[in-house]
């Protein structure tokens, strides 16, 4: 069931377009099929939404995992990469969050990164979950467990996640085409609706 944390924000200087589309991958293996699937979702979705949406970099959490788990004990470059990722994700308008199904849920790597984010870090952002499972019996579990955490961080999750089985990765473009047709319009409308509202100019 889609969950939505929806509250328009009033700010002095609302951001201008284009809007940043950021991809976060929580697979503990570098160069994973989860990362490839997430990149495809972000690319196709950005293309469907059009020019105002700028596809930003892919954040592969495994590349700076020591900073997530060890904090100040990690190397300086890993801590800097974590800080950059937190800033990138916190300022995005659309975030694709991908994870394999691991022991019936999403990965500890992704959970630990989400724990690093400040409260309401995803307020004003639309998040699209992407999960990859090895077996049909497990395919919904990670999505179900992930949504409450995203909502707690203020994210809006207005559409069904991209729920994939490993066997579907061979024909990923075909699988994603149907999801894009059904959900891109809702993602776009929600993203626009969540844009900050400028403070009214005081009357003279």
């Amino acid at each position: 069931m889609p969950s939505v944390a929806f509250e328009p924000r009033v700010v002095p200087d609302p951001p201008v377009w284009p809007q940043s589309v950021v991809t976060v991958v929580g697979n503990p293996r570098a160069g994973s099929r989860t990362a490839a699937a997430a990149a495809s979702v972000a690319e196709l979705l950005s293309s469907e939404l059009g020019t105002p949406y700028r596809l930003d970099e892919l954040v592969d959490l495994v590349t700076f995992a020591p900073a997530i788990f060890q904090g100040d004990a990690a190397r300086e470059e890993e801590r800097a990469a974590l800080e950059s990722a937190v800033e990138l994700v916190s300022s995005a308008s659309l975030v694709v969050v991908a994870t394999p199904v691991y022991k019936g849920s999403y990965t500890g790597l992704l959970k630990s990164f989400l724990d690093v984010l400040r409260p309401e870090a995803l307020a004003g952002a639309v998040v699209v979950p992407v999960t990859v499972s090895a077996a049909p019996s497990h395919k919904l579990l990670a999505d179900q467990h992930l949504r409450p955490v995203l909502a707690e961080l203020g994210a809006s999750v207005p559409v069904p996640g991209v729920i994939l089985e490993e066997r579907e990765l061979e024909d990923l473009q075909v699988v994603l085409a149907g999801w894009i047709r059904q959900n891109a319009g809702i993602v776009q409308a929600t993203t626009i609706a969540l844009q900050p509202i400028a403070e009214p100019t005081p009357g003279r």
Side-chain angles (χ1 to χ4, degrees):
M1 191 74 161
S3 60
V4 178
F6 187 94
E7 184 177 351
R9 298 166 294 156
V10 177
V11 298
D13 298 302
V16 296
W17 297 80
Q19 297 298 302
S20 174
V21 180
V22 174
T23 308
V24 177
V25 179
N27 195 309
R29 294 183 178 180
S32 64
R33 289 186 294 175
T34 304
S40 293
V41 172
E43 183 177 354
L44 289 173
L45 189 53
S46 299
S47 177
E48 181 72 17
L49 295 176
T51 302
Y53 294 82
R54 182 191 71 235
L55 185 61
D56 221 314
E57 66 185 274
L58 182 145
V59 177
D60 200 349
L61 301 180
V62 70
T63 60
F64 51 87
I68 298 174
F69 292 113
Q70 300 172 10
D72 291 341
R75 294 184 300 175
E76 182 177 351
E77 57 266 34
E78 292 166 338
R79 298 198 308 272
L82 173 58
E83 291 175 6
S84 176
V86 168
E87 177 62 27
L88 193 65
V89 171
S90 299
S91 61
S93 296
L94 175 58
V95 185
V96 175
V97 176
T99 178
V101 178
Y102 183 73
K103 294 186 177 179
S105 187
Y106 57 101
T107 64
L109 177 60
L110 178 57
K111 177 61 166 68
S112 296
F113 175 73
L114 295 176
D115 286 345
V116 170
L117 299 179
R118 60 175 174 76
E120 297 296 307
L122 298 179
V126 173
V127 176
V128 174
V130 177
T131 65
V132 179
S133 66
S137 59
H138 295 158
K139 66 186 298 181
L140 297 176
L141 293 177
D143 183 75
Q144 292 171 349
H145 293 164
L146 184 55
R147 285 173 176 270
V149 179
L150 295 173
E152 183 70 19
L153 288 167
S156 294
V157 191
V159 295
V162 182
I163 312 298
L164 301 169
E165 292 179 47
E166 289 181 356
R167 61 181 178 82
E168 295 176 305
L169 299 180
E170 300 299 325
D171 298 308
L172 185 59
Q173 301 295 316
V174 175
V175 174
L176 293 181
W179 188 94
I180 293 289
R181 280 197 305 271
Q182 293 178 15
N183 297 294
I186 299 173
V187 170
Q188 183 179 55
T190 309
T191 304
I192 294 172
L194 288 171
Q195 289 306 297
I197 303 170
E199 289 182 344
T201 303
R204 295 184 177 178

